[in-house]
Amino acid sequence: MSSEKRPTVLSGIQPSGRLTIGNYLGALKHWLGLHDRFDCYYMLVDLHAITVRQDRDALRERCHEFLALYIACGLDPAQNVLFVQSHVPQHAELAWVLNTYTQMGELNRMTQFKDKSAKHADNINAGLFTYPVLMAADILLYQADRVPVGDDQKQHLELTRDIAQRFNKVHGPVFTVPEPMIPPVGARIMGLQTPTAKMSKSGDAETDALYLLDPPEVVTRKVKRAVTDTDNAIGFDVAAKPGVSNLLSMLAALSGEAIPALVDRFEGKGYGHLKGEVAERVVALLTPIQTRYHEVRAAPDYLQQVLREGAQRAAGKAAITLDRVHDALGYIPR
Ligand code: AQP
């Protein structure tokens, strides 16, 4: 599938917590089908995951679970390079170099660092701080032209562009400067119980997120109990009606209908109608994904083979970029 002239897309998800409908609508859904026009690289970013303490067995299990979910959502390993970040050592090597092209002040401004250090106050490690540099290395290593991510990653993408431009200014055009691909709807799905905060895959409250492996009755129950407000009038206003607006955003992303059209269609109807339709749509999306997931998950040799081949293909491309970087820096070739 790879051809030198095709632009490259790269994205990834941390194998921490459980994949949510936010991850699907903000990221995974937009990865599908891009292989027609791009060389596509999709990772499980396990180096990023250890910025928060992980249990050894659970991490390994989760990498297999997430890979099976990537495939079940429709990412065909024959058309997309699926791999685990730690299988390609060039990520960590390039991150070190890029650390020296990144300013402390820039990292201090990253909102994810502020959020995560508040959440994990007992373990504010240097990796948490330099996380965006590793992310820049992930992207620049593959000379990615486009990076499909949710809105929460926009700030990291901007920093990646700054780092690439800074390096290129000193050393010539070594890196492709990537563009983000942020979906117009569904780019930031909020929590069902706390609709003012992003739906998170590692949150503490089970009922705040819809997980891709939630059974239908659980989905229906969680949506039914989603926080709304007391006026029972369906309208889109993120500040005044965050819960209802979040349900409308989800429905728009799931159905393809525009938000104003949804507001018109639900005029005069209560929140129960909106919740009913959201739950139905989520269940219809997840049912075939879950069936396929269980098939793929029952084939560990296949999953291992996907990872082996993915790592080989990714490392081939990564090595070319790292050699160029080393050459630009004046390192003696091996
Ligand atoms: N709520 C969301 N709405 C839209 N897009 C989202 N993404 C994540 N949450 C939403 C997108 O999913 C991709 C993977 O992001 P990540 O690996 O950083 O995972 P996360 O879900 O964002 O992780 P959390 O919630 O911070 O918990 P941890 O990291 O502790 O597991 C990205 O493209 C992101 O934009």
Side-chain angles (χ1 to χ4, degrees), residues 89-108:
Q90 287 87 352
H91 288 256
E93 292 180 66
L94 181 59
W96 174 257
V97 173
L98 299 184
N99 266 320
T100 67
Y101 288 78
T102 309
Q103 301 302 302
M104 297 285 284
E106 291 177 306
L107 295 177
N108 265 325

Side-chain angles (χ1 to χ4, degrees), residues 201-268:
K201 67 184 175 358
S202 302
D204 296 329
E206 174 72 29
T207 50
D208 202 44
L210 292 172
Y211 300 109
L212 297 190
L213 293 176
D214 274 347
E217 61 282 7
V218 173
V219 168
T220 307
R221 193 169 59 236
K222 285 182 180 176
V223 174
K224 216 182 228 172
R225 292 185 188 161
V227 165
T228 48
D229 49 60
T230 49
D231 28 291
N232 214 26
I234 293 175
F236 189 83
D237 181 337
V238 174
K241 300 171 81 64
V244 176
S245 302
N246 188 37
L247 291 170
L248 284 168
S249 298
M250 280 173 65
L251 189 53
L254 288 160
S255 69
E257 260 180 281
I259 288 175
L262 287 172
V263 172
D264 284 351
R265 187 154 73 68
F266 282 100
E267 203 192 330

Side-chain angles (χ1 to χ4, degrees), residues 12-14 16-17 22-23 26-27 116 119 131 148-153 186-189 198-202:
I13 299 183
Q14 293 186 75
S16 49
N23 297 123
K116 288 221 164 168
K119 209 164 145 192
Y131 181 112
V149 286
D151 178 67
D152 57 311
Q153 292 298 331
R188 195 178 285 250
I189 300 298
K198 183 186 88 157
M199 183 182 285
S200 161
K201 67 184 175 358
S202 302

